[in-house]
Amino acid sequence: MGEFKVHRVRFFDYMPTAIRAMAFNSRTERLALARADGALEIFNFADNYFQEKVIPGQDGRAVEALCWVGQRLFSAGLNGEITEYDLENLRPRYTVEAYGGPIWTISINSQGTLLAVGCEDGTVKMFEILEERIQFQRNLDRQKGRIISLSWHPSGTLIAAGMMDMIRIFDAETGRATHRLLVERGVGASKSREVVVWSIVFLSDHTIVSGDSAGKVQIWDGVTGTLVRTHLVTKWDVLALSVSKDESSLVAGTSEGTVVQFQFISSTVDQQDKEWVRTRTFKNHSHDVRALAHTETAVVSGGMDTQLVVRPLLDKVEKNTQESALRKMSLPHRSLVCCAKKAGLLLFQFPDHLELWRLGESDGHGKPGDSLPVKRKPEKLIQLKRKGEDHICCSALSPCGGWLAYSTVTSFRLYRLQNNNISVTKVSKLPKDLRSAHQLCFSPDSSKLFASSSHSSVIVVGLNQPECKYLHTLKPKSGSRQPVHLLFASEDGKWLATANADCEIHVYNLDKLKLHCTVPVYSSCPTAIAINPTTSNLVAVHADQQIFEFSLVQKEYTEWSRKLQKQGLHSLWLERDTPITRVAFNPKNPAHIILHDMFMFCIIDQSLPLPEAKTPFYNQMTLRSLPEPQRLVHSHAFKICKNFQHLMCVSLLEDHSLVVVERPLLNITSQLPAPVRQKKFAT
């Protein structure tokens, strides 16, 4: 496998923010979630839960609710605005002021024609959905007190609104309130304490289900306006409700971090009268569950503890399969760390600033597993604050450590660095085409900057000492409108590889500045790409964990890649639930491919045989104890190291030492606010 001196980095204080809202699109199998800093993330559940797109946040954009209308995504928040997003350019398309104060909730009718929002001033406002925009249509009868939650009846004629101490049912055509359902405070609650109806669901049989701040899930008859059943599920708040598409199952998220499932089943043997029965309780969160989505096979939850949890329902999936495994998504599926190989520098990307660090040094030598004495400690050189209110969406550091670039959705900035006396000089004259970028990358000799722009195009900029000059725009022939999420420039400066959300990988010839070839499109999205400096073979790893090697010279898959696909990857490799986020190569040994996900890094030795289906996959420890002849018999191509956990970056420096950036989840949870106090046994 080879020995490396490892720089173990734990000073990247990456801190994700709380999940505030969620919306699942069952047609496209995409989940959109909003975080407390206004950022939006889109996960493709059909492609191994890959984080496909990220729309960066903005100061003051507090998203309270999300909804899909076909393939269009809308949000509303406490700034009183409704926003539609441009999912091709990863930015807000436009915002519409609702003029009702802060917006607490947003809901779409089942026909996809009307959008209703609940406002602070007690109005439910209707907006008509047009092809390009939304247009205000009318207000429903104004109420005293804010509208906290909304839910349309599937017919589109009625709409239920959760408020303080009550639920109102409106006729959507006349705008009049037809029923008032009073929500009781609960046993032992003070009369001055209001009950907030945090969430509401209107079912097709006119049943209304509500979740409130008194810890109750209540079932109401929407025709007569009477209470049918009360389930007390927590001493704290029920914050979110979600129902399955067939309306046979319902889940409620609480402040205690529990998710409670209810099912519409018969409680008697003869199966006559069905009712909502509490069936399961899941505890996968330490803090409030603020957002829920009920898919056909799983419950998806998120909240204050920042983790997205997919909990499969075992009556809907086959047991002991990959689909039945619990998934927790804690770290982003894209890199926030950039490593300058030649200079030994690290760039950390935060939403509001960038940090530049110099790695420490050690002149000691030791046995594998030893901790070496540090001669020079790591040092923070620069903290660069962004300008404007838009959060940073991408950043890059040149391999020589002399250039630094970052982009937001509205602006682009380039800086010249001098590390000897630590000075930062902003490059003021930038090409007009360089307004913003989805992804950035410098050429290995630091003479060019590549910035991915709209419609999968890439802008090439030449870097000279005083200024930078626009050279060319590289465009794919496919006409894809999707954003590029991966860029890689080859070590010899000849090739540039790009990957977009349409699963396309394009390779450009930088000498001729034109498209060289397109890799055959595979059904799963690429999560990491790299070009071998010795063989000029492109290695691509996809969200479903498949690995391909494509020869740029021959314009075909290599023999090794065909052999790998024919034999198939080991089941333990395919069952991993975090994507490979970086691929690198060892110049000392061209047959070694270095790659990592969140829980391990791996060296694939192409000169060794591939693991058979029945071979022990994680066999590094076993091999060490065997004598040399037996070791050769049992060894295979995949060498896996699990000594480091929660990896954000594994990179190889020019001096052949490894940089491993870790972000232990314990460090994230220790910075969270205290959860609600829960009674523990024997305390």
Side-chain angles (χ1 to χ4, degrees), residues 322 545 569-577 597 600 612-619 640 642:
Q322 200 178 346
Q545 312 295 359
L569 284 153
H570 199 283
S571 59
L572 289 174
W573 174 268
L574 295 172
E575 283 166 13
R576 293 171 19 261
D577 59 3
D597 66 7
M600 62 96 208
E612 299 284 339
K614 291 177 182 175
T615 356
F617 192 57
Y618 302 112
N619 64 353
I640 287 170
K642 289 195 167 189

Side-chain angles (χ1 to χ4, degrees), residues 190-206:
S190 68
K191 288 186 178 179
S192 60
R193 189 183 165 207
E194 290 180 307
V195 176
V196 185
V197 180
W198 285 118
S199 191
I200 196 164
V201 173
F202 209 156
L203 304 177
S204 49
D205 64 353
H206 288 271

Side-chain angles (χ1 to χ4, degrees), residues 164-167 181-187 189-190 193-197 210 212-216 218 220 227 229-232:
M164 298 291 193
D165 293 331
M166 70 171 92
I167 297 164
L181 286 57
L182 293 176
V183 180
E184 61 201 39
R185 287 177 172 81
V187 183
S190 68
R193 189 183 165 207
E194 290 180 307
V195 176
V196 185
V197 180
S210 66
D212 59 46
S213 60
K216 306 189 300 294
Q218 293 189 309
W220 305 80
L227 179 65
R229 184 82 189 267
T230 297
H231 296 272
L232 186 65

Side-chain angles (χ1 to χ4, degrees), residues 12-38:
F12 179 22
D13 291 328
Y14 166 73
M15 188 66 200
T17 56
I19 295 170
R20 298 293 288 268
M22 223 182 257
F24 184 68
N25 189 334
S26 55
R27 280 188 193 168
T28 61
E29 291 200 62
R30 300 292 197 279
L31 177 94
L33 68 83
R35 292 194 179 267
D37 63 354

Side-chain angles (χ1 to χ4, degrees), residues 379-392:
E379 182 185 3
K380 189 204 267 193
L381 302 178
I382 296 164
Q383 180 164 316
L384 190 67
K385 285 195 172 180
R386 63 165 163 81
K387 297 286 188 288
E389 55 183 20
D390 291 306
H391 293 182
I392 296 169

